[in-house]
Amino acid sequence: MKVALVLALCFLAAVSANFIDKDRIHFITSVPVGSKTNHLFRGNMPKDQNNQFALDDLQGFIREAAQSEGNIALPDRFYLYVINLMSLYNKNDTDIEQNFLEQNPSVGKFVQWSLYHRYVDPVSLPDEQRRSMLENVDFWGKDDFPARVELLHHMLNNFVAPDGLDTVFYFHCESGCDRTGEISGAYMLAFMNKTMDEITAVNTKLCGRPPNPSATYCIEWFCFWRQYNMAPFHCPISQAEVEVEVERTPKIIYLAAFVTPESKAQLLDHYAPVFPKVYGDHMTIAFSPSQDDLDNLPWGKTVNLTVTGYAADDKAQAVVVDAAGQVWSKNPITHVSLSTAQGVSPVYSNDLVAHGYDAVENGITFQARVGAYVAGGSIIYEQP
């Protein structure tokens, strides 16, 4: 029985509630290419409230931003090159613009560059550890973030539109903030000589809130990557900043109930992993926790988790668990990721269980201890 159907529908409705927003569309820079000019803009998902591609609004808002922020009067007609940064799981929204532009090739072109967050703060790590992590060929994963930034720069400086039109490159995520801020910030850092402080200030101003920490971490990782690989570039984070960050309390990535080694063996014995990447190690309580979250966490407490549901598809498997009020969680459906296919993050389990799971009666009960996962990969059970 799919007991999470109503919750899943609510979740999907919330995800799809972002419509084109004039206040999220901004001019970044322009580059002459031959007799024409290529322009770079950032924004959010360009759909209207009828879930249609909002071409007229998008073109109008781009013109307004070009004039007010770049003092540029765009020509009557321009070529629209849309770069979608959203996860592959945002398929419904992605299909809206992809189908429109594929059916109207004279208007523009669609490409998808799904970006994935980085959850470790590089500034909190010793230089040697940062270098070692970046030397790992798998560090950037399937989005190959530095290559995307370099390719965007190459396209902006070399692309020639059909019919000799000016080209507007418009990159966006759902809200126009975090993934959008990652690409925007990395581009400004690499090619517009902006510092991290300036980039963070811009991203905060344009979205009315600070960027998600994982988005800032991604830009910082890119910054160090350029420093280590593209001398004489120097990442504009001072050594004093690095030293101050290292001296601070550990950077907490997420709070969780961490499955004990004995219970992990019990869990994986009962639910054999079906994919090569095996987990079975925690139930998330809160990601990027607030100070209130830290203060209200029952640090070090051992809790009993009971399996109440099971979900699996062609990407991952997970069990839904009940903590019986022993510890709170911000996840709408508390669960433990068991295994995922290659290239699939365990975060995907949130979507997996949200789309429904099979109820389990008289499921096994196992133990976990409440604590925090911190930058650098360690787990702590006492509040820092």
Side-chain angles (χ1 to χ4, degrees):
M1 179 177 64
K2 301 297 183 182
V3 297
L5 180 59
V6 174
L7 182 57
L9 291 174
C10 292
F11 170 80
L12 292 173
V15 167
S16 61
N18 287 306
F19 305 111
I20 188 168
D21 185 347
K22 173 183 176 180
D23 293 334
R24 294 286 167 85
I25 296 175
H26 298 281
F27 170 79
I28 297 176
T29 189
S30 289
V31 176
V33 179
S35 62
K36 299 299 178 180
T37 304
N38 290 345
H39 312 272
L40 187 60
F41 287 79
R42 60 179 284 174
N44 75 323
M45 175 63 201
K47 71 175 181 181
D48 61 25
Q49 297 196 20
N50 295 316
N51 285 327
Q52 302 294 317
F53 186 68
L55 178 63
D56 291 342
D57 284 343
L58 178 59
Q59 290 176 330
F61 296 158
I62 284 173
R63 290 182 192 281
E64 290 182 37
Q67 187 66 62
S68 63
E69 299 176 351
N71 196 28
I72 294 172
L74 290 177
D76 293 338
R77 185 175 169 226
F78 55 80
Y79 189 76
L80 186 61
Y81 201 123
V82 175
I83 302 173
N84 181 314
L85 307 175
M86 297 190 297
S87 163
L88 295 173
Y89 308 121
N90 294 92
K91 186 175 186 302
N92 290 341
D93 282 349
T94 296
D95 284 349
I96 291 171
E97 59 185 354
Q98 182 174 5
N99 292 340
F100 179 88
L101 290 169
E102 287 180 352
Q103 293 166 13
N104 297 273
S106 63
V107 173
K109 178 181 177 67
F110 170 90
V111 296
Q112 182 154 19
W113 291 358
S114 295
L115 296 186
Y116 301 91
H117 298 310
R118 273 78 199 176
Y119 296 110
V120 176
D121 178 4
V123 176
S124 69
L125 303 177
D127 185 71
E128 182 178 352
Q129 185 175 357
R130 271 198 307 268
R131 287 178 181 271
S132 176
M133 292 175 68
L134 285 169
E135 287 170 359
N136 186 325
V137 294
D138 295 326
F139 177 82
W140 290 109
K142 57 188 176 181
D143 68 8
D144 200 0
F145 187 79
R148 297 296 194 198
V149 179
E150 297 290 337
L151 180 56
L152 179 61
H153 182 64
H154 176 81
M155 291 162 58
L156 186 66
N157 284 268
N158 294 277
F159 181 80
V160 177
D163 302 323
L165 299 173
D166 278 19
T167 298
V168 166
F169 288 91
Y170 178 78
F171 62 85
H172 73 87
C173 56
E174 190 81 22
S175 66
C177 291
D178 296 314
R179 287 179 171 87
T180 298
E182 287 178 19
I183 281 284
S184 175
Y187 188 92
M188 291 191 295
L189 185 148
F191 304 111
M192 298 175 68
N193 297 317
K194 299 296 183 181
T195 67
M196 282 302 305
D197 284 347
E198 290 171 324
I199 290 165
T200 300
V202 168
N203 283 336
T204 300
K205 177 182 178 181
L206 298 188
C207 283
R209 63 165 175 81
N212 186 307
S214 60
T216 299
Y217 299 160
C218 183
I219 302 171
E220 291 175 340
W221 276 115
F222 174 75
C223 186
F224 286 114
W225 178 86
R226 285 183 63 86
Q227 177 173 314
Y228 299 152
N229 292 278
M230 304 185 71
F233 178 85
H234 181 75
C235 187
I237 302 175
S238 69
Q239 185 59 35
E241 279 186 85
V242 174
E243 290 170 355
V244 168
E245 288 287 347
V246 171
E247 289 171 3
R248 291 177 184 171
T249 56
K251 184 71 174 182
I252 293 177
I253 309 301
Y254 61 83
L255 306 177
F258 295 94
V259 181
T260 65
E262 297 81 3
S263 288
K264 180 176 178 178
Q266 175 195 6
L267 180 62
L268 296 179
D269 181 63
H270 199 88
Y271 294 95
V274 296
F275 297 103
K277 297 175 68 177
V278 179
Y279 300 99
D281 45 26
H282 74 274
M283 179 199 81
T284 301
I285 294 172
F287 177 77
S288 295
S290 67
Q291 186 61 51
D292 284 344
D293 293 337
L294 301 182
D295 292 341
N296 292 320
L297 190 74
W299 290 90
K301 181 179 180 179
T302 298
V303 297
N304 294 318
L305 304 179
T306 300
V307 174
T308 59
Y310 176 82
D313 61 11
D314 61 347
K315 298 184 181 70
Q317 65 174 153
V319 288
V320 177
V321 297
D322 180 15
Q326 301 165 87
V327 64
W328 53 271
S329 174
K330 288 187 172 181
N331 269 358
I333 303 176
T334 50
H335 63 277
V336 176
S337 300
L338 296 177
S339 69
T340 67
Q342 290 291 352
V344 178
S345 166
V347 176
Y348 170 72
S349 294
N350 289 293
D351 291 341
L352 174 65
V353 298
H355 282 81
Y357 56 87
D358 295 320
V360 172
E361 295 183 2
N362 302 316
I364 64 169
T365 296
F366 57 95
Q367 290 190 324
R369 190 180 180 196
V370 177
Y373 181 89
V374 302
S378 61
I379 298 172
I380 59 174
Y381 295 103
E382 295 181 358
Q383 184 169 359

